[in-house]
Amino acid sequence: MRACLVEQRHVYVVGALNSGTERKWFWASFLMSVVWIAVLSYLLVTVVSRAGCLLHVDTYTMGLVVIAVGTSLPDCISSVLVARDGYGDMAVSNAIGSNVFDINLGLGLPFIVRLIIDKGQPIDLLSKAERMAWLADEIRLLPHVKFGFILLLILVICQITFLITKFRLSRVVVVVFILIYAAFLAYAFIQELLCNYNC
C-alpha cells in the first residue's frame, strides 16, 4: 500500500512512462525533471548561503563543502553501485566525467546566460570586500587560485596512489582518498576560521 502511494506521488510530480502510449510524454517528463532539479538547486543554494551567514562561514567555503557534497551524493551512489557490480572503470569514469561536466557546462552555461542578460559585462568572481582587500595587497593569494593549486596537488596524490596500487581499487585507495578529503575539509574550515583572507 505504501509503495503504491509513493509511486502515485511520483506520477503527479514528474510522470511515469510505463506503457507505449505514455512514451509521447517523454520530453515533458524530462523537462519537468529538469525544472525540479533547478528549483531544488535554487533552494539548496539559498538555504546553504543563509546558514553560512548565521554560522559566520563564508559562502565560498559553504559551496566547497556543503553544496559540493549535496550535488555529488547522487554521483557517489551511482559509482558505488557500478563498482559493486565489478565495473570499477565505470565508477572512476563517472567521477571524472561528472566533474568535467560540472566545471565546463555547470559553470560555462550559467555564465553565458548571465553575460547575455548583462549585455556582455564581465562577471566579477570576487566579492566587493575581497576585491578591495586584493587591490590593497592584503590578500597574498586569492582563495580561487589557492584551491586550484590544492586541486592539482590532490590530483598528483591520486595518480601516485593509483601507480602504487597498480591501478586497482583497493582498501589502500579508499583510505588515501578519505584521508585526502578529510584533510581538504580541515584546511577549508581552518582557513575560514583563522586566515581572514590573509593566508
Side-chain angles (χ1 to χ4, degrees), residues 149-165 172-173 175-181 183-184:
F149 286 132
I150 291 171
L151 192 60
L152 285 174
L153 177 65
I154 290 171
L155 181 63
V156 168
I157 294 171
C158 291
Q159 286 295 330
I160 291 170
T161 304
F162 281 132
L163 285 171
I164 290 170
T165 60
V172 173
V173 175
V175 170
V176 169
F177 283 10
I178 289 173
L179 288 175
I180 289 172
Y181 189 67
F184 175 76

mmCIF file with all atom_site columns, all heavy atoms in Angstrom, residues 149-165 172-173 175-181 183-184:
data_model
loop_
_atom_site.group_PDB
_atom_site.id
_atom_site.type_symbol
_atom_site.label_atom_id
_atom_site.label_alt_id
_atom_site.label_comp_id
_atom_site.label_asym_id
_atom_site.label_entity_id
_atom_site.label_seq_id
_atom_site.pdbx_PDB_ins_code
_atom_site.Cartn_x
_atom_site.Cartn_y
_atom_site.Cartn_z
_atom_site.occupancy
_atom_site.B_iso_or_equiv
_atom_site.pdbx_formal_charge
_atom_site.auth_seq_id
_atom_site.auth_comp_id
_atom_site.auth_asym_id
_atom_site.auth_atom_id
_atom_site.pdbx_PDB_model_num
ATOM 1   N N   . PHE A 1 149 ? 45.450 25.244 -6.807  1.00 0.00 ? 149 PHE A N   1
ATOM 2   C CA  . PHE A 1 149 ? 46.707 24.549 -6.526  1.00 0.00 ? 149 PHE A CA  1
ATOM 3   C C   . PHE A 1 149 ? 46.470 23.306 -5.668  1.00 0.00 ? 149 PHE A C   1
ATOM 4   O O   . PHE A 1 149 ? 47.100 22.264 -5.876  1.00 0.00 ? 149 PHE A O   1
ATOM 5   C CB  . PHE A 1 149 ? 47.701 25.486 -5.831  1.00 0.00 ? 149 PHE A CB  1
ATOM 6   C CG  . PHE A 1 149 ? 48.304 26.506 -6.747  1.00 0.00 ? 149 PHE A CG  1
ATOM 7   C CD1 . PHE A 1 149 ? 48.344 27.842 -6.378  1.00 0.00 ? 149 PHE A CD1 1
ATOM 8   C CD2 . PHE A 1 149 ? 48.830 26.150 -7.971  1.00 0.00 ? 149 PHE A CD2 1
ATOM 9   C CE1 . PHE A 1 149 ? 48.895 28.792 -7.217  1.00 0.00 ? 149 PHE A CE1 1
ATOM 10  C CE2 . PHE A 1 149 ? 49.386 27.088 -8.820  1.00 0.00 ? 149 PHE A CE2 1
ATOM 11  C CZ  . PHE A 1 149 ? 49.420 28.414 -8.450  1.00 0.00 ? 149 PHE A CZ  1
ATOM 12  N N   . ILE A 1 150 ? 45.572 23.423 -4.701  1.00 0.00 ? 150 ILE A N   1
ATOM 13  C CA  . ILE A 1 150 ? 45.255 22.271 -3.850  1.00 0.00 ? 150 ILE A CA  1
ATOM 14  C C   . ILE A 1 150 ? 44.638 21.152 -4.686  1.00 0.00 ? 150 ILE A C   1
ATOM 15  O O   . ILE A 1 150 ? 44.946 19.972 -4.501  1.00 0.00 ? 150 ILE A O   1
ATOM 16  C CB  . ILE A 1 150 ? 44.327 22.698 -2.693  1.00 0.00 ? 150 ILE A CB  1
ATOM 17  C CG1 . ILE A 1 150 ? 45.095 23.592 -1.732  1.00 0.00 ? 150 ILE A CG1 1
ATOM 18  C CG2 . ILE A 1 150 ? 43.748 21.490 -1.975  1.00 0.00 ? 150 ILE A CG2 1
ATOM 19  C CD1 . ILE A 1 150 ? 44.243 24.243 -0.681  1.00 0.00 ? 150 ILE A CD1 1
ATOM 20  N N   . LEU A 1 151 ? 43.789 21.512 -5.626  1.00 0.00 ? 151 LEU A N   1
ATOM 21  C CA  . LEU A 1 151 ? 43.179 20.524 -6.511  1.00 0.00 ? 151 LEU A CA  1
ATOM 22  C C   . LEU A 1 151 ? 44.235 19.803 -7.346  1.00 0.00 ? 151 LEU A C   1
ATOM 23  O O   . LEU A 1 151 ? 44.181 18.581 -7.520  1.00 0.00 ? 151 LEU A O   1
ATOM 24  C CB  . LEU A 1 151 ? 42.151 21.202 -7.413  1.00 0.00 ? 151 LEU A CB  1
ATOM 25  C CG  . LEU A 1 151 ? 41.210 20.318 -8.198  1.00 0.00 ? 151 LEU A CG  1
ATOM 26  C CD1 . LEU A 1 151 ? 40.375 19.462 -7.263  1.00 0.00 ? 151 LEU A CD1 1
ATOM 27  C CD2 . LEU A 1 151 ? 40.322 21.155 -9.084  1.00 0.00 ? 151 LEU A CD2 1
ATOM 28  N N   . LEU A 1 152 ? 45.222 20.549 -7.847  1.00 0.00 ? 152 LEU A N   1
ATOM 29  C CA  . LEU A 1 152 ? 46.319 19.919 -8.593  1.00 0.00 ? 152 LEU A CA  1
ATOM 30  C C   . LEU A 1 152 ? 47.130 18.980 -7.694  1.00 0.00 ? 152 LEU A C   1
ATOM 31  O O   . LEU A 1 152 ? 47.522 17.884 -8.121  1.00 0.00 ? 152 LEU A O   1
ATOM 32  C CB  . LEU A 1 152 ? 47.230 20.991 -9.190  1.00 0.00 ? 152 LEU A CB  1
ATOM 33  C CG  . LEU A 1 152 ? 46.676 21.734 -10.401 1.00 0.00 ? 152 LEU A CG  1
ATOM 34  C CD1 . LEU A 1 152 ? 47.612 22.857 -10.805 1.00 0.00 ? 152 LEU A CD1 1
ATOM 35  C CD2 . LEU A 1 152 ? 46.449 20.785 -11.561 1.00 0.00 ? 152 LEU A CD2 1
ATOM 36  N N   . LEU A 1 153 ? 47.366 19.396 -6.460  1.00 0.00 ? 153 LEU A N   1
ATOM 37  C CA  . LEU A 1 153 ? 48.086 18.536 -5.515  1.00 0.00 ? 153 LEU A CA  1
ATOM 38  C C   . LEU A 1 153 ? 47.313 17.248 -5.246  1.00 0.00 ? 153 LEU A C   1
ATOM 39  O O   . LEU A 1 153 ? 47.886 16.149 -5.224  1.00 0.00 ? 153 LEU A O   1
ATOM 40  C CB  . LEU A 1 153 ? 48.335 19.295 -4.205  1.00 0.00 ? 153 LEU A CB  1
ATOM 41  C CG  . LEU A 1 153 ? 49.008 18.499 -3.086  1.00 0.00 ? 153 LEU A CG  1
ATOM 42  C CD1 . LEU A 1 153 ? 50.426 18.097 -3.481  1.00 0.00 ? 153 LEU A CD1 1
ATOM 43  C CD2 . LEU A 1 153 ? 49.017 19.300 -1.800  1.00 0.00 ? 153 LEU A CD2 1
ATOM 44  N N   . ILE A 1 154 ? 45.999 17.365 -5.081  1.00 0.00 ? 154 ILE A N   1
ATOM 45  C CA  . ILE A 1 154 ? 45.160 16.182 -4.866  1.00 0.00 ? 154 ILE A CA  1
ATOM 46  C C   . ILE A 1 154 ? 45.229 15.261 -6.074  1.00 0.00 ? 154 ILE A C   1
ATOM 47  O O   . ILE A 1 154 ? 45.321 14.032 -5.935  1.00 0.00 ? 154 ILE A O   1
ATOM 48  C CB  . ILE A 1 154 ? 43.707 16.604 -4.555  1.00 0.00 ? 154 ILE A CB  1
ATOM 49  C CG1 . ILE A 1 154 ? 43.630 17.246 -3.175  1.00 0.00 ? 154 ILE A CG1 1
ATOM 50  C CG2 . ILE A 1 154 ? 42.752 15.427 -4.656  1.00 0.00 ? 154 ILE A CG2 1
ATOM 51  C CD1 . ILE A 1 154 ? 42.300 17.877 -2.851  1.00 0.00 ? 154 ILE A CD1 1
ATOM 52  N N   . LEU A 1 155 ? 45.224 15.836 -7.267  1.00 0.00 ? 155 LEU A N   1
ATOM 53  C CA  . LEU A 1 155 ? 45.319 15.029 -8.480  1.00 0.00 ? 155 LEU A CA  1
ATOM 54  C C   . LEU A 1 155 ? 46.639 14.265 -8.534  1.00 0.00 ? 155 LEU A C   1
ATOM 55  O O   . LEU A 1 155 ? 46.674 13.071 -8.882  1.00 0.00 ? 155 LEU A O   1
ATOM 56  C CB  . LEU A 1 155 ? 45.174 15.924 -9.711  1.00 0.00 ? 155 LEU A CB  1
ATOM 57  C CG  . LEU A 1 155 ? 45.217 15.235 -11.063 1.00 0.00 ? 155 LEU A CG  1
ATOM 58  C CD1 . LEU A 1 155 ? 44.062 14.267 -11.216 1.00 0.00 ? 155 LEU A CD1 1
ATOM 59  C CD2 . LEU A 1 155 ? 45.213 16.262 -12.179 1.00 0.00 ? 155 LEU A CD2 1
ATOM 60  N N   . VAL A 1 156 ? 47.729 14.929 -8.166  1.00 0.00 ? 156 VAL A N   1
ATOM 61  C CA  . VAL A 1 156 ? 49.036 14.264 -8.157  1.00 0.00 ? 156 VAL A CA  1
ATOM 62  C C   . VAL A 1 156 ? 49.051 13.129 -7.132  1.00 0.00 ? 156 VAL A C   1
ATOM 63  O O   . VAL A 1 156 ? 49.539 12.018 -7.413  1.00 0.00 ? 156 VAL A O   1
ATOM 64  C CB  . VAL A 1 156 ? 50.154 15.286 -7.861  1.00 0.00 ? 156 VAL A CB  1
ATOM 65  C CG1 . VAL A 1 156 ? 51.476 14.597 -7.567  1.00 0.00 ? 156 VAL A CG1 1
ATOM 66  C CG2 . VAL A 1 156 ? 50.321 16.251 -9.033  1.00 0.00 ? 156 VAL A CG2 1
ATOM 67  N N   . ILE A 1 157 ? 48.502 13.368 -5.935  1.00 0.00 ? 157 ILE A N   1
ATOM 68  C CA  . ILE A 1 157 ? 48.458 12.318 -4.907  1.00 0.00 ? 157 ILE A CA  1
ATOM 69  C C   . ILE A 1 157 ? 47.618 11.129 -5.393  1.00 0.00 ? 157 ILE A C   1
ATOM 70  O O   . ILE A 1 157 ? 47.990 9.967  -5.180  1.00 0.00 ? 157 ILE A O   1
ATOM 71  C CB  . ILE A 1 157 ? 47.916 12.875 -3.575  1.00 0.00 ? 157 ILE A CB  1
ATOM 72  C CG1 . ILE A 1 157 ? 48.897 13.897 -3.000  1.00 0.00 ? 157 ILE A CG1 1
ATOM 73  C CG2 . ILE A 1 157 ? 47.658 11.761 -2.574  1.00 0.00 ? 157 ILE A CG2 1
ATOM 74  C CD1 . ILE A 1 157 ? 48.352 14.666 -1.811  1.00 0.00 ? 157 ILE A CD1 1
ATOM 75  N N   . CYS A 1 158 ? 46.507 11.413 -6.069  1.00 0.00 ? 158 CYS A N   1
ATOM 76  C CA  . CYS A 1 158 ? 45.664 10.334 -6.598  1.00 0.00 ? 158 CYS A CA  1
ATOM 77  C C   . CYS A 1 158 ? 46.410 9.519  -7.640  1.00 0.00 ? 158 CYS A C   1
ATOM 78  O O   . CYS A 1 158 ? 46.354 8.278  -7.631  1.00 0.00 ? 158 CYS A O   1
ATOM 79  C CB  . CYS A 1 158 ? 44.381 10.910 -7.201  1.00 0.00 ? 158 CYS A CB  1
ATOM 80  S SG  . CYS A 1 158 ? 43.264 11.591 -5.993  1.00 0.00 ? 158 CYS A SG  1
ATOM 81  N N   . GLN A 1 159 ? 47.134 10.192 -8.535  1.00 0.00 ? 159 GLN A N   1
ATOM 82  C CA  . GLN A 1 159 ? 47.899 9.470  -9.554  1.00 0.00 ? 159 GLN A CA  1
ATOM 83  C C   . GLN A 1 159 ? 48.989 8.602  -8.919  1.00 0.00 ? 159 GLN A C   1
ATOM 84  O O   . GLN A 1 159 ? 49.191 7.454  -9.335  1.00 0.00 ? 159 GLN A O   1
ATOM 85  C CB  . GLN A 1 159 ? 48.527 10.465 -10.548 1.00 0.00 ? 159 GLN A CB  1
ATOM 86  C CG  . GLN A 1 159 ? 47.541 11.076 -11.499 1.00 0.00 ? 159 GLN A CG  1
ATOM 87  C CD  . GLN A 1 159 ? 46.920 10.051 -12.426 1.00 0.00 ? 159 GLN A CD  1
ATOM 88  O OE1 . GLN A 1 159 ? 47.516 9.045  -12.773 1.00 0.00 ? 159 GLN A OE1 1
ATOM 89  N NE2 . GLN A 1 159 ? 45.690 10.295 -12.824 1.00 0.00 ? 159 GLN A NE2 1
ATOM 90  N N   . ILE A 1 160 ? 49.681 9.149  -7.930  1.00 0.00 ? 160 ILE A N   1
ATOM 91  C CA  . ILE A 1 160 ? 50.719 8.363  -7.240  1.00 0.00 ? 160 ILE A CA  1
ATOM 92  C C   . ILE A 1 160 ? 50.100 7.153  -6.543  1.00 0.00 ? 160 ILE A C   1
ATOM 93  O O   . ILE A 1 160 ? 50.638 6.044  -6.591  1.00 0.00 ? 160 ILE A O   1
ATOM 94  C CB  . ILE A 1 160 ? 51.484 9.254  -6.237  1.00 0.00 ? 160 ILE A CB  1
ATOM 95  C CG1 . ILE A 1 160 ? 52.331 10.283 -7.001  1.00 0.00 ? 160 ILE A CG1 1
ATOM 96  C CG2 . ILE A 1 160 ? 52.364 8.421  -5.313  1.00 0.00 ? 160 ILE A CG2 1
ATOM 97  C CD1 . ILE A 1 160 ? 52.928 11.353 -6.128  1.00 0.00 ? 160 ILE A CD1 1
ATOM 98  N N   . THR A 1 161 ? 48.936 7.348  -5.917  1.00 0.00 ? 161 THR A N   1
ATOM 99  C CA  . THR A 1 161 ? 48.241 6.236  -5.248  1.00 0.00 ? 161 THR A CA  1
ATOM 100 C C   . THR A 1 161 ? 47.870 5.156  -6.248  1.00 0.00 ? 161 THR A C   1
ATOM 101 O O   . THR A 1 161 ? 48.054 3.961  -5.988  1.00 0.00 ? 161 THR A O   1
ATOM 102 C CB  . THR A 1 161 ? 46.977 6.750  -4.531  1.00 0.00 ? 161 THR A CB  1
ATOM 103 O OG1 . THR A 1 161 ? 47.337 7.790  -3.635  1.00 0.00 ? 161 THR A OG1 1
ATOM 104 C CG2 . THR A 1 161 ? 46.281 5.640  -3.780  1.00 0.00 ? 161 THR A CG2 1
ATOM 105 N N   . PHE A 1 162 ? 47.340 5.550  -7.418  1.00 0.00 ? 162 PHE A N   1
ATOM 106 C CA  . PHE A 1 162 ? 46.991 4.559  -8.437  1.00 0.00 ? 162 PHE A CA  1
ATOM 107 C C   . PHE A 1 162 ? 48.226 3.834  -8.972  1.00 0.00 ? 162 PHE A C   1
ATOM 108 O O   . PHE A 1 162 ? 48.177 2.641  -9.259  1.00 0.00 ? 162 PHE A O   1
ATOM 109 C CB  . PHE A 1 162 ? 46.214 5.206  -9.586  1.00 0.00 ? 162 PHE A CB  1
ATOM 110 C CG  . PHE A 1 162 ? 44.772 5.442  -9.264  1.00 0.00 ? 162 PHE A CG  1
ATOM 111 C CD1 . PHE A 1 162 ? 44.185 6.669  -9.528  1.00 0.00 ? 162 PHE A CD1 1
ATOM 112 C CD2 . PHE A 1 162 ? 43.986 4.445  -8.715  1.00 0.00 ? 162 PHE A CD2 1
ATOM 113 C CE1 . PHE A 1 162 ? 42.862 6.891  -9.235  1.00 0.00 ? 162 PHE A CE1 1
ATOM 114 C CE2 . PHE A 1 162 ? 42.657 4.658  -8.427  1.00 0.00 ? 162 PHE A CE2 1
ATOM 115 C CZ  . PHE A 1 162 ? 42.084 5.884  -8.693  1.00 0.00 ? 162 PHE A CZ  1
ATOM 116 N N   . LEU A 1 163 ? 49.335 4.558  -9.109  1.00 0.00 ? 163 LEU A N   1
ATOM 117 C CA  . LEU A 1 163 ? 50.564 3.916  -9.573  1.00 0.00 ? 163 LEU A CA  1
ATOM 118 C C   . LEU A 1 163 ? 51.069 2.893  -8.551  1.00 0.00 ? 163 LEU A C   1
ATOM 119 O O   . LEU A 1 163 ? 51.504 1.796  -8.919  1.00 0.00 ? 163 LEU A O   1
ATOM 120 C CB  . LEU A 1 163 ? 51.647 4.964  -9.843  1.00 0.00 ? 163 LEU A CB  1
ATOM 121 C CG  . LEU A 1 163 ? 51.478 5.788  -11.112 1.00 0.00 ? 163 LEU A CG  1
ATOM 122 C CD1 . LEU A 1 163 ? 52.483 6.923  -11.146 1.00 0.00 ? 163 LEU A CD1 1
ATOM 123 C CD2 . LEU A 1 163 ? 51.615 4.905  -12.342 1.00 0.00 ? 163 LEU A CD2 1
ATOM 124 N N   . ILE A 1 164 ? 51.005 3.249  -7.266  1.00 0.00 ? 164 ILE A N   1
ATOM 125 C CA  . ILE A 1 164 ? 51.470 2.338  -6.213  1.00 0.00 ? 164 ILE A CA  1
ATOM 126 C C   . ILE A 1 164 ? 50.609 1.077  -6.161  1.00 0.00 ? 164 ILE A C   1
ATOM 127 O O   . ILE A 1 164 ? 51.121 -0.031 -5.996  1.00 0.00 ? 164 ILE A O   1
ATOM 128 C CB  . ILE A 1 164 ? 51.490 3.059  -4.849  1.00 0.00 ? 164 ILE A CB  1
ATOM 129 C CG1 . ILE A 1 164 ? 52.605 4.109  -4.837  1.00 0.00 ? 164 ILE A CG1 1
ATOM 130 C CG2 . ILE A 1 164 ? 51.663 2.076  -3.702  1.00 0.00 ? 164 ILE A CG2 1
ATOM 131 C CD1 . ILE A 1 164 ? 52.567 5.026  -3.634  1.00 0.00 ? 164 ILE A CD1 1
ATOM 132 N N   . THR A 1 165 ? 49.297 1.244  -6.315  1.00 0.00 ? 165 THR A N   1
ATOM 133 C CA  . THR A 1 165 ? 48.380 0.095  -6.239  1.00 0.00 ? 165 THR A CA  1
ATOM 134 C C   . THR A 1 165 ? 48.180 -0.587 -7.593  1.00 0.00 ? 165 THR A C   1
ATOM 135 O O   . THR A 1 165 ? 47.317 -1.452 -7.718  1.00 0.00 ? 165 THR A O   1
ATOM 136 C CB  . THR A 1 165 ? 47.014 0.528  -5.685  1.00 0.00 ? 165 THR A CB  1
ATOM 137 O OG1 . THR A 1 165 ? 46.453 1.527  -6.558  1.00 0.00 ? 165 THR A OG1 1
ATOM 138 C CG2 . THR A 1 165 ? 47.129 1.070  -4.288  1.00 0.00 ? 165 THR A CG2 1
ATOM 139 N N   . VAL A 1 172 ? 43.628 0.409  0.259   1.00 0.00 ? 172 VAL A N   1
ATOM 140 C CA  . VAL A 1 172 ? 44.626 1.488  0.346   1.00 0.00 ? 172 VAL A CA  1
ATOM 141 C C   . VAL A 1 172 ? 44.108 2.739  -0.360  1.00 0.00 ? 172 VAL A C   1
ATOM 142 O O   . VAL A 1 172 ? 44.198 3.853  0.158   1.00 0.00 ? 172 VAL A O   1
ATOM 143 C CB  . VAL A 1 172 ? 45.966 1.027  -0.275  1.00 0.00 ? 172 VAL A CB  1
ATOM 144 C CG1 . VAL A 1 172 ? 46.957 2.167  -0.343  1.00 0.00 ? 172 VAL A CG1 1
ATOM 145 C CG2 . VAL A 1 172 ? 46.537 -0.139 0.507   1.00 0.00 ? 172 VAL A CG2 1
ATOM 146 N N   . VAL A 1 173 ? 43.530 2.549  -1.548  1.00 0.00 ? 173 VAL A N   1
ATOM 147 C CA  . VAL A 1 173 ? 42.990 3.682  -2.303  1.00 0.00 ? 173 VAL A CA  1
ATOM 148 C C   . VAL A 1 173 ? 41.860 4.336  -1.519  1.00 0.00 ? 173 VAL A C   1
ATOM 149 O O   . VAL A 1 173 ? 41.788 5.567  -1.416  1.00 0.00 ? 173 VAL A O   1
ATOM 150 C CB  . VAL A 1 173 ? 42.507 3.225  -3.694  1.00 0.00 ? 173 VAL A CB  1
ATOM 151 C CG1 . VAL A 1 173 ? 41.829 4.356  -4.440  1.00 0.00 ? 173 VAL A CG1 1
ATOM 152 C CG2 . VAL A 1 173 ? 43.658 2.667  -4.500  1.00 0.00 ? 173 VAL A CG2 1
ATOM 153 N N   . VAL A 1 175 ? 41.299 4.356  1.751   1.00 0.00 ? 175 VAL A N   1
ATOM 154 C CA  . VAL A 1 175 ? 41.827 5.077  2.917   1.00 0.00 ? 175 VAL A CA  1
ATOM 155 C C   . VAL A 1 175 ? 42.510 6.366  2.499   1.00 0.00 ? 175 VAL A C   1
ATOM 156 O O   . VAL A 1 175 ? 42.293 7.423  3.096   1.00 0.00 ? 175 VAL A O   1
ATOM 157 C CB  . VAL A 1 175 ? 42.792 4.164  3.716   1.00 0.00 ? 175 VAL A CB  1
ATOM 158 C CG1 . VAL A 1 175 ? 43.543 4.948  4.769   1.00 0.00 ? 175 VAL A CG1 1
ATOM 159 C CG2 . VAL A 1 175 ? 42.025 3.013  4.354   1.00 0.00 ? 175 VAL A CG2 1
ATOM 160 N N   . VAL A 1 176 ? 43.324 6.313  1.443   1.00 0.00 ? 176 VAL A N   1
ATOM 161 C CA  . VAL A 1 176 ? 44.025 7.515  0.979   1.00 0.00 ? 176 VAL A CA  1
ATOM 162 C C   . VAL A 1 176 ? 43.025 8.575  0.534   1.00 0.00 ? 176 VAL A C   1
ATOM 163 O O   . VAL A 1 176 ? 43.148 9.758  0.895   1.00 0.00 ? 176 VAL A O   1
ATOM 164 C CB  . VAL A 1 176 ? 45.013 7.165  -0.158  1.00 0.00 ? 176 VAL A CB  1
ATOM 165 C CG1 . VAL A 1 176 ? 45.535 8.420  -0.833  1.00 0.00 ? 176 VAL A CG1 1
ATOM 166 C CG2 . VAL A 1 176 ? 46.166 6.344  0.379   1.00 0.00 ? 176 VAL A CG2 1
ATOM 167 N N   . PHE A 1 177 ? 42.003 8.188  -0.230  1.00 0.00 ? 177 PHE A N   1
ATOM 168 C CA  . PHE A 1 177 ? 41.028 9.163  -0.723  1.00 0.00 ? 177 PHE A CA  1
ATOM 169 C C   . PHE A 1 177 ? 40.219 9.784  0.420   1.00 0.00 ? 177 PHE A C   1
ATOM 170 O O   . PHE A 1 177 ? 39.957 10.990 0.418   1.00 0.00 ? 177 PHE A O   1
ATOM 171 C CB  . PHE A 1 177 ? 40.096 8.519  -1.741  1.00 0.00 ? 177 PHE A CB  1
ATOM 172 C CG  . PHE A 1 177 ? 40.718 8.340  -3.100  1.00 0.00 ? 177 PHE A CG  1
ATOM 173 C CD1 . PHE A 1 177 ? 42.072 8.538  -3.306  1.00 0.00 ? 177 PHE A CD1 1
ATOM 174 C CD2 . PHE A 1 177 ? 39.952 7.971  -4.179  1.00 0.00 ? 177 PHE A CD2 1
ATOM 175 C CE1 . PHE A 1 177 ? 42.653 8.379  -4.554  1.00 0.00 ? 177 PHE A CE1 1
ATOM 176 C CE2 . PHE A 1 177 ? 40.511 7.819  -5.432  1.00 0.00 ? 177 PHE A CE2 1
ATOM 177 C CZ  . PHE A 1 177 ? 41.861 8.019  -5.624  1.00 0.00 ? 177 PHE A CZ  1
ATOM 178 N N   . ILE A 1 178 ? 39.841 8.985  1.401   1.00 0.00 ? 178 ILE A N   1
ATOM 179 C CA  . ILE A 1 178 ? 39.087 9.526  2.536   1.00 0.00 ? 178 ILE A CA  1
ATOM 180 C C   . ILE A 1 178 ? 39.973 10.474 3.355   1.00 0.00 ? 178 ILE A C   1
ATOM 181 O O   . ILE A 1 178 ? 39.518 11.536 3.791   1.00 0.00 ? 178 ILE A O   1
ATOM 182 C CB  . ILE A 1 178 ? 38.505 8.386  3.399   1.00 0.00 ? 178 ILE A CB  1
ATOM 183 C CG1 . ILE A 1 178 ? 37.368 7.700  2.637   1.00 0.00 ? 178 ILE A CG1 1
ATOM 184 C CG2 . ILE A 1 178 ? 38.000 8.912  4.739   1.00 0.00 ? 178 ILE A CG2 1
ATOM 185 C CD1 . ILE A 1 178 ? 36.817 6.473  3.299   1.00 0.00 ? 178 ILE A CD1 1
ATOM 186 N N   . LEU A 1 179 ? 41.231 10.112 3.538   1.00 0.00 ? 179 LEU A N   1
ATOM 187 C CA  . LEU A 1 179 ? 42.150 10.991 4.262   1.00 0.00 ? 179 LEU A CA  1
ATOM 188 C C   . LEU A 1 179 ? 42.386 12.299 3.501   1.00 0.00 ? 179 LEU A C   1
ATOM 189 O O   . LEU A 1 179 ? 42.458 13.376 4.105   1.00 0.00 ? 179 LEU A O   1
ATOM 190 C CB  . LEU A 1 179 ? 43.485 10.281 4.513   1.00 0.00 ? 179 LEU A CB  1
ATOM 191 C CG  . LEU A 1 179 ? 43.454 9.172  5.563   1.00 0.00 ? 179 LEU A CG  1
ATOM 192 C CD1 . LEU A 1 179 ? 44.803 8.467  5.632   1.00 0.00 ? 179 LEU A CD1 1
ATOM 193 C CD2 . LEU A 1 179 ? 43.059 9.725  6.934   1.00 0.00 ? 179 LEU A CD2 1
ATOM 194 N N   . ILE A 1 180 ? 42.492 12.219 2.177   1.00 0.00 ? 180 ILE A N   1
ATOM 195 C CA  . ILE A 1 180 ? 42.654 13.435 1.368   1.00 0.00 ? 180 ILE A CA  1
ATOM 196 C C   . ILE A 1 180 ? 41.446 14.345 1.547   1.00 0.00 ? 180 ILE A C   1
ATOM 197 O O   . ILE A 1 180 ? 41.580 15.561 1.741   1.00 0.00 ? 180 ILE A O   1
ATOM 198 C CB  . ILE A 1 180 ? 42.852 13.086 -0.124  1.00 0.00 ? 180 ILE A CB  1
ATOM 199 C CG1 . ILE A 1 180 ? 44.219 12.473 -0.358  1.00 0.00 ? 180 ILE A CG1 1
ATOM 200 C CG2 . ILE A 1 180 ? 42.681 14.320 -0.999  1.00 0.00 ? 180 ILE A CG2 1
ATOM 201 C CD1 . ILE A 1 180 ? 44.401 11.932 -1.763  1.00 0.00 ? 180 ILE A CD1 1
ATOM 202 N N   . TYR A 1 181 ? 40.245 13.767 1.491   1.00 0.00 ? 181 TYR A N   1
ATOM 203 C CA  . TYR A 1 181 ? 39.047 14.593 1.630   1.00 0.00 ? 181 TYR A CA  1
ATOM 204 C C   . TYR A 1 181 ? 38.943 15.181 3.032   1.00 0.00 ? 181 TYR A C   1
ATOM 205 O O   . TYR A 1 181 ? 38.576 16.347 3.196   1.00 0.00 ? 181 TYR A O   1
ATOM 206 C CB  . TYR A 1 181 ? 37.791 13.791 1.283   1.00 0.00 ? 181 TYR A CB  1
ATOM 207 C CG  . TYR A 1 181 ? 36.572 14.681 1.198   1.00 0.00 ? 181 TYR A CG  1
ATOM 208 C CD1 . TYR A 1 181 ? 36.458 15.623 0.185   1.00 0.00 ? 181 TYR A CD1 1
ATOM 209 C CD2 . TYR A 1 181 ? 35.563 14.602 2.144   1.00 0.00 ? 181 TYR A CD2 1
ATOM 210 C CE1 . TYR A 1 181 ? 35.361 16.461 0.109   1.00 0.00 ? 181 TYR A CE1 1
ATOM 211 C CE2 . TYR A 1 181 ? 34.463 15.435 2.076   1.00 0.00 ? 181 TYR A CE2 1
ATOM 212 C CZ  . TYR A 1 181 ? 34.370 16.359 1.054   1.00 0.00 ? 181 TYR A CZ  1
ATOM 213 O OH  . TYR A 1 181 ? 33.282 17.198 0.988   1.00 0.00 ? 181 TYR A OH  1
ATOM 214 N N   . ALA A 1 183 ? 41.440 15.902 4.995   1.00 0.00 ? 183 ALA A N   1
ATOM 215 C CA  . ALA A 1 183 ? 42.438 16.978 5.063   1.00 0.00 ? 183 ALA A CA  1
ATOM 216 C C   . ALA A 1 183 ? 41.958 18.217 4.323   1.00 0.00 ? 183 ALA A C   1
ATOM 217 O O   . ALA A 1 183 ? 42.163 19.353 4.774   1.00 0.00 ? 183 ALA A O   1
ATOM 218 C CB  . ALA A 1 183 ? 43.763 16.491 4.483   1.00 0.00 ? 183 ALA A CB  1
ATOM 219 N N   . PHE A 1 184 ? 41.292 18.023 3.190   1.00 0.00 ? 184 PHE A N   1
ATOM 220 C CA  . PHE A 1 184 ? 40.751 19.146 2.425   1.00 0.00 ? 184 PHE A CA  1
ATOM 221 C C   . PHE A 1 184 ? 39.694 19.896 3.236   1.00 0.00 ? 184 PHE A C   1
ATOM 222 O O   . PHE A 1 184 ? 39.701 21.130 3.295   1.00 0.00 ? 184 PHE A O   1
ATOM 223 C CB  . PHE A 1 184 ? 40.169 18.639 1.111   1.00 0.00 ? 184 PHE A CB  1
ATOM 224 C CG  . PHE A 1 184 ? 39.476 19.707 0.318   1.00 0.00 ? 184 PHE A CG  1
ATOM 225 C CD1 . PHE A 1 184 ? 40.210 20.648 -0.385  1.00 0.00 ? 184 PHE A CD1 1
ATOM 226 C CD2 . PHE A 1 184 ? 38.099 19.777 0.279   1.00 0.00 ? 184 PHE A CD2 1
ATOM 227 C CE1 . PHE A 1 184 ? 39.582 21.637 -1.116  1.00 0.00 ? 184 PHE A CE1 1
ATOM 228 C CE2 . PHE A 1 184 ? 37.459 20.764 -0.438  1.00 0.00 ? 184 PHE A CE2 1
ATOM 229 C CZ  . PHE A 1 184 ? 38.202 21.690 -1.145  1.00 0.00 ? 184 PHE A CZ  1
#
